[in-house]
Amino acid sequence: MRAITFTVAAVLATGASAYSGQTTRRKALIQSTGALFGITAASAPIPAYAKPAYPEEESDKKKIVAGYKRLEYLLANWEKETTVCGRYDNPYIGDGKGCERTPERVMEYLGYKSTNDPLFRVDKTLKRLERTTDDPEFLDLLEKFLEQADESNVMAFTSSWGEANPGGGKDRVEYFIERSKKNVIEARDDLKAVVRILDLQVD
């Protein structure tokens, strides 16, 4: 009877030892596999909310997108947006039908007329956004955009005095407005590149 009891105990001990060995090997396999794919609990990254680089970041990004879309609209409707009708009754002013070309809207779209325009003081907006990217192209685009916007504003302002200046006339107004358009195109393209670098969504 003692021999049977001893035999049963030995079998149970052997089984427990085998089970323990299998469990240990299985655990080691799971741990090594997890380490291989970087999925262990200790190493798994914890998702974190990306905080803005500065308080106005989201607002500034929205201004850039809105300003870019407005420049797109201006260029797509250039003739319409740079023509005003019904301002004068004098047939000798404008095209004789009460309409005349005017650069005022160009200056408005570029942010030079109203504090409510998204591109108003865009230089400060872009300089703040510079800290959100390490792309070396950004600073160059910032300078190019400001240069084109300023030049377009100068051409638009010059156009507004096209008929009043000595030797001026409607053709001079047209000339400077179209010169201004070339600068707006360049400014729009520079702002488009900024939108790309900052990975902004344009609807």
Side-chain angles (χ1 to χ4, degrees):
M1 183 68 178
R2 289 181 180 178
I4 295 173
T5 303
F6 175 78
T7 302
V8 171
V11 170
L12 291 174
T14 302
S17 177
Y19 176 77
S20 176
Q22 291 174 357
T23 303
T24 301
R25 286 193 296 272
R26 187 180 299 113
K27 182 177 180 181
L29 178 61
I30 292 173
Q31 289 177 340
S32 62
T33 304
L36 177 63
F37 290 98
I39 57 174
T40 60
S43 63
I46 300 174
Y49 174 74
K51 294 182 179 180
Y54 59 96
E56 305 95 336
E57 180 182 348
E58 291 305 314
S59 173
D60 283 348
K61 287 180 176 179
K62 289 179 180 178
K63 288 179 181 178
I64 294 301
V65 171
Y68 168 71
K69 291 170 68 174
R70 278 170 59 80
L71 291 184
E72 284 274 58
Y73 179 84
L74 171 62
L75 290 169
N77 300 272
W78 184 260
E79 191 79 19
K80 171 187 171 185
E81 291 298 305
T82 57
T83 301
V84 174
C85 297
R87 179 179 292 180
Y88 302 104
D89 294 328
N90 190 336
Y92 296 101
I93 296 179
D95 62 356
K97 300 178 182 178
C99 298
E100 64 171 344
R101 298 297 299 280
T102 174
E104 292 178 10
R105 294 287 284 167
V106 177
M107 293 184 280
E108 180 181 330
Y109 275 89
L110 289 170
Y112 291 98
K113 296 284 287 184
S114 171
T115 58
N116 295 323
D117 191 88
L119 293 183
F120 176 74
R121 296 311 306 269
V122 68
D123 56 329
K124 292 185 177 295
T125 303
L126 290 174
K127 286 185 182 298
R128 286 194 298 267
L129 285 170
E130 185 184 0
R131 59 183 101 161
T132 68
T133 178
D134 56 1
D135 193 311
E137 185 185 4
F138 188 87
L139 182 59
D140 185 49
L141 287 169
L142 185 158
E143 294 174 350
K144 285 170 60 181
F145 171 81
L146 295 177
E147 179 182 344
Q148 294 298 332
D150 286 344
E151 183 68 18
S152 180
N153 183 55
V154 169
M155 290 297 103
F157 180 79
T158 303
S159 172
S160 66
W161 293 92
E163 289 192 73
N165 290 330
K170 297 181 182 62
D171 60 326
R172 300 306 292 169
V173 174
E174 294 274 353
Y175 170 78
F176 285 112
I177 285 180
E178 294 309 311
R179 279 279 304 274
S180 177
K181 182 179 182 180
K182 293 180 180 179
N183 296 117
V184 173
I185 291 173
E186 293 289 337
R188 185 274 315 272
D189 291 345
D190 292 334
L191 206 58
K192 183 178 182 179
V194 168
V195 168
R196 172 182 54 80
I197 288 175
L198 297 179
D199 194 25
L200 305 181
Q201 297 299 314
V202 179
D203 299 329

